[in-house]
Amino acid sequence: MDSDASGISPSDTHFAHRSPDTAFASVPRRRPPGGKACSQCHRQKQRCNKGQPCSNCIRRGIPDACIYLSRQERRTRRQIEETPIPRRESHPETSAASALRLLFEPVHRQQAVPSNTRPVSHHLGRLFKARGAPSYHGDSYFGHQSAAVMMEASAPAMSGGPDAGLSRRARTGETQPFRSERGPYAHIWELVGSLPRQKAVVDHLTRRFFDELNPTFDAVHEGTFQISYAKFWDRKCGFDGLSSMDVRWLSLLFIILAFGELLGCAQPCSPEAQRACEESSLHFYWSARKAVVIAPSFFGETPDLVRAGILITRYLMYTRRLSESWLTICFAVRMAQAQGMHVDGEQLGLPRKNTETRRRLWSQLYVLERMIALALGRPNTINDRHCGFTEAVNIWVDDMTNEDARKAVPKSFDEPTPATFSVFNRQLAIIVGNIQEECFSLFAISHDTSYDEILEHDVRLLAWKDKLPSYFRLEDPDTSHDALQPYIAWHRLYLHAAYHFTRITLHRSYLLRTSFTGRYQYSRAACLSSSCADLRTKLAFRNPSMGDRLRYNISVHQLFNTALILGVIVVRDPHGPQTEPILDDLQAYCSKQNSDTWANDFDLAEVRVIELCISRARQSRNQGPGFTGNRTTTSLIESSQTFSAATAHPLTLEYVANPVHQDPYPDIPGYGGGEDQYGREVWSDMWSNPGYYFPEPMDYLIWKDLVDDLAGK
């Protein structure tokens, strides 16, 4: 409606008549041009203070986007954005000509490039921020990244920046509201609700993790974590606090709380307190799993997600859920590759401190992925041919500045640091990967890997063992550093367990094979030696604190229980001279596990299989020496003592290929492979086939058939 001559609209006149005593009744209301709220506050459904820019846009850091639009302007803008853009039909010849011009253009452009311009063709990839996180783009032969490299231009500039993959509505800022059910708001609200209500509880749990577990795990950089931790608790309550929350860091916090909850359980405790502690820890674990899954969808990948994936994998190893751990470590590997961690930081031009941190983080991923894949018989996720990675050096840069880290000189291995374990652990993981690829992959099975190749891998294992420094030695290690650096004792345990696990897995398929020349006695001696050493470690670990239990149970020995190997040995050779001592040790191990209140169903399933082996072996011993079923019982342990030196120094392949001892097991019908006289599958043949992996202890019926077959029942 038009206003009158006085300049007062009818609505203002009506307002003045209703409030005649008000001083400002005759003054029209002043509104910002264009509407009641700016475009950003209107989209987020927030109250705007009508400033130019408003307080909300200043707080979000987008003052340039604070504009005021009228209702008609908003309607016109919405119609333009919702109008579909017709696809332009391109002629095949035109497309081909454009492609050829794109390929040949760099050749002509090289003449115009100044000489002082740094070439970029030697870079394997570029890192730039996408959705707030550094993203990796490799040297693929297709896509705008390849075109940017050929034209020697910046990849984000050629592709339109990190928002090039978003829709037109997202690029212009007109995204869906944060409170939308399709957005992260509902997930973040649920995750925050899973945290303890009191900050003191969270402080206590995180402090216990950093004091007791983090020095051994090398999982989280405490200084960086505390910065995000303080920012999280200093946030403002309400909508704006949730909108600025980083779910990627929240996943790391939850898995730390899961470990801290277990550390907070006093020993000994009642069954009710133990059950409540485990349930609370699992509550935090599932929250961490959810945050890890949803965070890349809304926020991108960061090192916090990779660290959370590593800790989640170690948590699953502690609970013996190995199949799930293979999934989580593969997910963490993909998130690391998305950030370019498979490419060495020097090739990406990163600072030395950042480079060494990424090297250690990638080494942990590499080791866990290789060990779990070998234990479960599943494919590897990391392909070495697609990685340009350099080994970490013996230097600890976490407590240094960037300038100090750049000038620091690496130490010799005689001076241990927390990074020393990462170096030798990755070297062993490389051997593990070669063993799986050449001895247990589908290609190896189809081409029938020879026994000489097995012995070559064993020589590499023994060479790795001989290169260990004195404080990591397998025989008589130097423990003088343990008092000042307690993590060295645990790193030594992890390396020893990984070595025994790898050696047993390498020789396990030859444990029951027969040969008149006795060439497989070396494998039996290797399995027996490593199994006894690992069982000795298990029996020595008694009455631990909760911190020691967590540090111990995330070791590689949890991937494969060597007590099962000893159980198979005593069933196959029940009358050997050392069978009775081994049976006593196995019985002591079963009693130790049965009395442990923290043993779960997976631990008790292994105990049940070992007790089955003990029962069958004692039953065969009671029948008298000489024969067991239809087999001779020459001692396996006695024959393997001759080759015990193989565990101390490398054995030459010529000596192993021409042994002087005869095989204690002749080629008996029914144990050469295939089926027995009744057409049943022989479980010992399944054992010796590299295509089959060790049956899981939960498969009790398979183990029962295997043990009965070995005992000749």
Side-chain angles (χ1 to χ4, degrees):
M1 299 177 62
D2 298 333
S3 59
D4 55 6
S6 62
I8 303 178
S9 63
S11 59
D12 295 333
T13 306
H14 179 68
F15 177 71
H17 286 302
R18 292 181 58 187
S19 304
D21 298 332
T22 306
F24 56 86
S26 59
V27 180
R29 296 180 61 186
R30 301 181 62 184
R31 296 179 179 177
K36 299 180 180 179
C38 68
S39 59
Q40 300 297 324
C41 294
H42 179 77
R43 187 180 71 255
Q44 299 289 348
K45 301 298 186 292
Q46 287 185 319
R47 188 172 183 178
C48 184
N49 67 345
K50 306 177 183 61
Q52 292 183 348
C54 67
S55 59
N56 293 332
C57 293
I58 294 176
R59 183 169 59 254
R60 298 192 195 101
I62 51 173
D64 297 337
C66 185
I67 59 176
Y68 293 87
L69 302 175
S70 64
R71 184 175 301 176
Q72 182 62 30
E73 290 174 341
R74 291 196 187 99
R75 186 181 302 109
T76 304
R77 188 173 183 177
R78 190 181 305 113
Q79 291 175 355
I80 295 175
E81 292 174 355
E82 293 178 355
T83 302
I85 300 177
R87 300 180 58 182
R88 293 181 296 179
E89 299 294 336
S90 59
H91 196 272
E93 297 181 357
T94 305
S95 301
S98 301
L100 291 175
R101 184 168 58 254
L102 179 62
L103 290 175
F104 287 103
E105 186 176 359
V107 179
H108 301 288
R109 284 174 56 87
Q110 290 177 359
Q111 302 176 359
V113 176
S115 59
N116 58 355
T117 303
R118 186 180 63 176
V120 296
S121 58
H122 67 278
H123 288 284
L124 290 178
R126 303 291 187 97
L127 285 177
F128 69 93
K129 292 201 172 187
R131 293 180 295 177
S135 179
Y136 173 79
H137 294 271
D139 55 349
S140 175
Y141 65 90
F142 59 88
H144 56 268
Q145 294 293 329
S146 178
V149 172
M150 288 190 296
M151 294 181 180
E152 298 186 2
S154 174
M158 290 297 302
S159 60
D163 296 334
L166 302 179
S167 63
R168 183 176 67 255
R169 180 183 290 264
R171 290 196 301 268
T172 56
E174 296 293 332
T175 58
Q176 59 182 348
F178 185 79
R179 289 180 178 269
S180 173
E181 294 295 334
R182 295 176 294 175
Y185 177 81
H187 301 287
I188 295 178
W189 185 266
E190 182 179 354
L191 289 173
V192 173
S194 301
L195 289 172
R197 293 296 180 264
Q198 297 181 359
K199 180 178 179 295
V201 177
V202 184
D203 292 342
H204 173 71
L205 297 180
T206 54
R207 178 45 49 195
R208 296 206 62 163
F209 173 83
F210 282 107
D211 291 344
E212 301 185 37
L213 296 183
N214 196 55
T216 304
F217 288 0
D218 185 21
V220 184
H221 184 238
E222 185 176 358
T224 306
F225 178 85
Q226 291 298 337
I227 294 175
S228 301
Y229 188 78
K231 181 180 179 181
F232 173 77
W233 290 108
D234 291 343
R235 74 188 191 281
K236 296 182 179 180
C237 298
F239 170 77
D240 291 323
L242 289 180
S243 61
S244 61
M245 190 176 301
D246 192 349
V247 183
R248 300 164 293 191
W249 176 84
L250 205 58
S251 63
L252 183 61
L253 175 63
F254 274 117
I255 193 59
I256 288 177
L257 294 179
F259 279 107
E261 190 68 30
L262 293 175
L263 291 171
C265 187
Q267 296 293 312
C269 62
S270 62
E272 293 77 12
Q274 175 184 338
R275 190 179 306 109
C277 177
E278 290 178 335
E279 291 178 355
S280 179
S281 179
L282 283 174
H283 169 76
F284 291 131
Y285 159 76
W286 285 114
S287 298
R289 285 288 299 268
K290 178 177 180 179
V292 165
V293 171
I294 68 175
S297 301
F298 297 112
F299 303 99
E301 300 83 5
T302 59
D304 288 336
L305 280 178
V306 180
R307 297 179 186 276
I310 293 176
L311 287 178
I312 288 174
T313 302
R314 295 193 183 278
Y315 186 92
L316 291 172
M317 292 177 64
Y318 165 76
T319 57
R320 308 297 298 275
R321 293 153 65 176
L322 301 183
S323 299
E324 293 183 54
S325 67
W326 182 76
L327 298 174
T328 56
I329 195 61
C330 293
F331 191 63
V333 167
R334 291 307 185 198
M335 290 187 293
Q337 289 174 334
Q339 301 170 67
M341 290 187 183
H342 61 294
V343 181
D344 194 68
E346 291 184 354
Q347 301 181 19
L348 297 175
L350 300 178
R352 186 180 185 183
K353 181 177 180 179
N354 195 358
T355 298
E356 290 298 326
T357 303
R358 289 161 60 96
R359 286 174 178 175
R360 298 202 322 266
L361 201 58
W362 180 256
S363 296
Q364 293 188 44
L365 292 170
Y366 191 88
V367 171
L368 288 173
E369 191 271 337
R370 286 292 191 262
M371 294 293 181
I372 295 174
L374 182 62
L376 297 177
R378 297 184 178 181
N380 292 326
T381 304
I382 301 175
N383 192 336
D384 291 333
R385 293 186 293 270
H386 297 163
C387 300
F389 191 77
T390 304
E391 189 177 86
V393 297
N394 190 27
I395 185 175
W396 188 249
V397 298
D398 287 13
D399 301 330
M400 303 180 183
T401 62
N402 289 333
E403 185 65 22
D404 294 339
R406 186 179 62 84
K407 298 178 181 179
V409 179
K411 299 181 180 179
S412 65
F413 290 118
D414 294 334
E415 303 179 33
T417 66
T420 310
F421 168 70
S422 177
V423 176
F424 291 97
N425 208 16
R426 184 176 180 272
Q427 293 176 359
L428 179 60
I430 293 176
I431 300 176
V432 169
N434 294 334
I435 289 175
Q436 184 180 18
E437 183 176 357
E438 299 177 14
C439 303
F440 297 101
S441 64
L442 296 177
F443 176 81
I445 295 172
S446 61
H447 288 74
D448 192 13
T449 303
S450 64
Y451 188 60
D452 292 338
E453 295 177 1
I454 299 295
L455 297 178
E456 290 176 359
H457 288 296
D458 186 80
V459 169
R460 297 187 185 97
L461 275 175
L462 296 175
W464 172 85
K465 183 196 70 169
D466 293 338
K467 291 192 304 183
L468 292 176
S470 59
Y471 46 86
F472 283 157
R473 279 197 308 252
L474 270 77
E475 299 87 9
D476 191 23
D478 180 15
T479 59
S480 59
H481 300 278
D482 295 359
L484 296 178
Q485 297 168 301
Y487 56 84
I488 292 182
W490 295 105
H491 291 174
R492 183 191 309 122
L493 171 66
Y494 299 157
L495 289 176
H496 293 184
Y499 168 80
H500 294 311
F501 156 75
T502 306
R503 201 156 190 247
I504 291 174
T505 307
L506 175 64
H507 292 281
R508 189 181 61 208
S509 57
Y510 295 89
L511 180 64
L512 302 181
R513 291 193 182 187
T514 57
S515 173
F516 285 108
T517 60
R519 66 186 311 225
Y520 301 137
Q521 293 184 36
Y522 181 77
S523 292
R524 294 166 187 153
C527 288
L528 179 62
S529 175
S530 292
S531 299
C532 291
D534 197 60
L535 183 62
R536 193 181 308 117
T537 303
K538 290 180 171 67
L539 291 175
F541 192 74
R542 290 182 174 274
N543 301 322
S545 63
M546 202 60 208
D548 291 342
R549 182 186 299 278
L550 287 171
R551 284 187 288 263
Y552 178 78
N553 285 339
I554 58 97
S555 175
V556 179
H557 71 265
Q558 295 294 336
L559 299 175
F560 173 75
N561 197 331
T562 53
L564 296 176
I565 284 288
L566 294 176
V568 171
I569 289 177
V570 296
V571 169
R572 188 71 181 270
D573 183 26
H575 300 286
Q578 295 185 6
T579 300
E580 187 63 29
I582 291 180
L583 287 174
D584 294 340
D585 289 343
L586 289 177
Q587 189 63 55
Y589 174 75
C590 293
S591 301
K592 174 178 174 291
Q593 292 295 96
N594 286 324
S595 61
D596 189 2
T597 58
W598 289 88
N600 55 18
D601 294 339
F602 297 95
D603 298 310
L604 298 180
E606 287 183 346
V607 171
R608 188 182 180 190
V609 174
I610 297 172
E611 290 176 342
L612 175 64
C613 296
I614 295 173
S615 175
R616 292 292 186 268
R618 293 194 184 279
Q619 185 178 356
S620 299
R621 289 176 63 85
N622 294 334
Q623 294 177 358
F627 292 89
T628 300
N630 61 346
R631 296 191 307 277
T632 60
T633 58
T634 305
S635 172
L636 167 67
I637 301 176
E638 182 180 4
S639 63
S640 64
Q641 290 176 348
T642 308
F643 297 91
S644 60
T647 61
H649 59 82
L651 198 62
T652 60
L653 299 182
E654 292 78 12
Y655 182 74
V656 175
N658 300 282
V660 297
H661 288 72
Q662 293 295 324
D663 195 327
Y665 301 106
D667 195 1
I668 303 298
Y671 284 87
E675 299 176 348
D676 61 5
Q677 56 182 340
Y678 301 105
R680 296 173 303 183
E681 184 179 8
V682 179
W683 292 109
S684 59
D685 179 66
M686 185 195 73
W687 180 293
S688 61
N689 189 342
Y692 293 92
Y693 272 73
F694 211 47
E696 293 187 5
M698 302 294 290
D699 300 328
Y700 182 76
L701 295 180
I702 295 180
W703 274 103
K704 186 177 182 302
D705 291 339
L706 172 61
V707 173
D708 290 344
D709 182 48
L710 294 176
K713 299 299 181 182

